[in-house]
């Protein structure tokens, strides 16, 4: 006997929440690398490409709710009104964190110069990570 569509959607929704929490931790670790000035050295291009792929992946998941490779019916069940509302709240949180972080980075740069690439990476990683954490928290509670 197969798993029903509702059970699959429920299982995938929980998995999505945990994946978002893990993704947020990864982004926060990357943000820490940028904040503490871990030298880029010869890894500039691979590191930049990895950063770009991760950033676009998580932004896409936040924008759509993920599950694009699942069937339409499962995706529709996963992205119900509650999940859509949770995603909206998570994106609002990410926006406000980005604005606060931008202000903090602006004033921090008065005390110590911060490279544009490092500042933008920290800002982006922090905003996306907080959105992912908020979405995961709302979905898993």
């Amino acid at each position: 006997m197969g798993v029903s569509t509702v059970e699959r959607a429920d299982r995938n929704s929980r998995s999505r929440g945990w994946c978002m929490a893990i993704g947020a931790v990864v982004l926060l670790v990357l943000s820490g690398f940028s904040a503490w000035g871990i030298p880029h050295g010869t890894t500039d291009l691979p590191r930049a490409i990895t950063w770009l792929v991760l950033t676009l992946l998580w932004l896409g998941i936040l924008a759509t709710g993920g599950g694009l490779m699942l069937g339409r019916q499962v995706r529709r069940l996963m992205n119900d009104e509650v999940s859509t509302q949770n995603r909206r709240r998570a994106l609002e949180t990410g926006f406000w964190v980005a604005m606060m972080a931008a202000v903090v980075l602006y004033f921090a740069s008065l005390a110590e110069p911060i490279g544009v690439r490092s500042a933008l990476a920290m800002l982006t990683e922090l905003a996306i990570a907080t959105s992912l954490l908020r979405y995961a928290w709302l979905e898993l509670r």
Side-chain angles (χ1 to χ4, degrees), residues 30-113:
L30 288 175
S31 184
F33 287 162
S34 297
W36 282 287
I38 303 296
H40 291 273
T42 59
T43 63
D44 271 349
L45 185 59
R47 188 173 179 179
I49 290 170
T50 302
W51 181 86
L52 176 66
V53 168
L54 281 174
T55 300
L56 293 177
L57 172 74
W58 287 118
L59 285 174
I61 289 171
L62 281 169
T64 64
L68 296 177
M69 298 182 75
L70 301 172
R72 180 177 294 162
Q73 196 172 14
V74 173
R75 208 171 44 246
R76 187 178 11 236
L77 289 170
M78 285 176 62
N79 294 321
D80 61 1
E81 296 86 18
V82 173
S83 179
T84 302
Q85 179 73 5
N86 289 343
R87 192 167 61 249
R88 186 188 63 76
R89 290 168 64 192
L91 290 169
E92 286 175 359
T93 301
F95 169 80
W96 287 110
V97 166
M99 294 302 100
M100 290 185 294
V103 170
V104 168
L105 285 169
Y106 176 83
F107 282 102
S109 72
L110 296 174
E112 184 171 328

Side-chain angles (χ1 to χ4, degrees), residues 110-133:
L110 296 174
E112 184 171 328
I114 301 173
V116 172
R117 188 171 22 166
S118 292
L120 290 174
M122 284 187 281
L123 181 66
T124 304
E125 291 155 359
L126 188 59
I128 294 172
T130 55
S131 292
L132 290 172
L133 282 175

